Amino acid sequence: MLRLLVLALLLANAGYFAWTHGMLADYGYAPAVQAEPQRMAQQIRPEAMQLITAAEARQLENEPTPAPTPQPAPECLQAGLFNPEQSTALRAGLESSLPIGSWTLESGVEPARWIVYMGKYSSEDALAKKRSELRGMGVSFEALVNPALGPGLSLGHYTSQAEAERELAKVATRGVRTAKVTLERPETRGQLLRVPAADAAIKARLEALKPQLAGKAFQACN
């Protein structure tokens, strides 16, 4: 009887040893795993974790959330006019750079520009003297668009000769005697580039197209 009891104890100890060391796991007998090494492996920079006090937690909760930086709204831009050769080169660049439907090339007209003109003057000194005289008379003036008329001055620009003639009569009553009406720029027809909704991304692409714009700058749509 004593021998059986000793044998039973030995078998029980051997079984317990095998159970605690996972030797019986293949048979479905194993102690519950208390550690989770797989979760430890999934941690990202655990050393960066910082414990804070309750007061610090309340302060963080009360801090306002920073508002997102507002993005500028898209705007309508246009440039032109372009002659047929310029339009052909520009169209090729637009088709390869901008999304379909984000731009148009349409027929446009730049009206004639008539001015009340004073010039040509013999030198820049003579031009500066005339500017000084006009300021003393209270008559405003502006730079010329057509460099072929310089050195000279424009006392105003108009879309018709009749409008310019009326303005000439007005400045004559203020002592201006040597001005005349001149066609500074004839009517021009061509293609107008219009980008109706130019956002930041499209504007960046338009910058790369500047060499094909023939020196014409973008401006807000009319």
Side-chain angles (χ1 to χ4, degrees):
M1 185 66 182
L2 182 59
R3 289 180 180 179
L4 292 175
L5 180 59
V6 171
L7 181 60
L9 289 174
L10 288 174
L11 291 174
N13 287 332
Y16 180 77
F17 179 85
W19 177 75
T20 57
H21 286 75
M23 296 178 182
L24 303 178
D26 292 340
Y27 303 98
Y29 300 101
V33 178
Q34 301 299 321
E36 297 185 2
Q38 70 277 12
R39 293 185 179 271
M40 296 290 291
Q42 293 174 1
Q43 293 183 5
I44 301 175
R45 296 187 62 213
E47 70 279 2
M49 183 178 295
Q50 181 180 0
L51 296 177
I52 61 175
T53 65
E56 290 173 331
R58 287 193 296 271
Q59 182 179 358
L60 291 174
E61 291 176 355
N62 293 330
E63 287 182 357
T65 303
T69 303
Q71 297 297 320
E75 58 180 323
C76 181
L77 298 176
Q78 66 181 35
L81 298 169
F82 300 97
N83 62 33
E85 293 77 14
Q86 293 169 339
S87 298
T88 300
L90 181 56
R91 183 182 296 276
L94 290 166
E95 289 176 346
S96 62
S97 301
L98 297 184
I100 297 175
S102 65
W103 57 273
T104 59
L105 274 174
E106 52 196 53
S107 298
V109 178
E110 194 169 42
R113 180 181 172 114
W114 294 84
I115 60 172
V116 178
Y117 173 65
M118 298 187 74
K120 291 182 174 185
Y121 295 103
S122 58
S123 66
E124 290 296 329
D125 288 340
L127 178 62
K129 182 179 179 180
K130 180 55 65 175
R131 287 196 186 102
S132 179
E133 291 178 2
L134 291 173
R135 290 191 186 99
M137 298 166 64
V139 176
S140 60
F141 53 87
E142 61 188 16
L144 296 169
V145 171
N146 186 350
L149 296 176
L153 294 170
S154 168
L155 305 188
H157 61 273
Y158 307 90
T159 56
S160 71
Q161 184 176 3
E163 287 181 284
E165 293 286 358
R166 287 193 291 270
E167 183 60 24
L168 177 62
K170 290 180 182 179
V171 297
T173 62
R174 301 170 67 176
V176 178
R177 297 287 182 262
T178 57
K180 60 183 177 181
V181 171
T182 299
L183 178 63
E184 185 181 31
R185 182 190 64 208
E187 180 184 272
T188 305
R189 294 180 179 273
Q191 294 289 305
L192 178 70
L193 169 60
R194 186 183 297 269
V195 185
D199 57 15
I202 289 181
K203 287 179 182 178
R205 297 186 183 187
L206 292 176
E207 284 292 320
L209 290 173
K210 274 189 174 181
Q212 300 176 29
L213 294 179
K216 297 176 174 61
F218 280 100
Q219 58 186 6
C221 298
N222 294 333

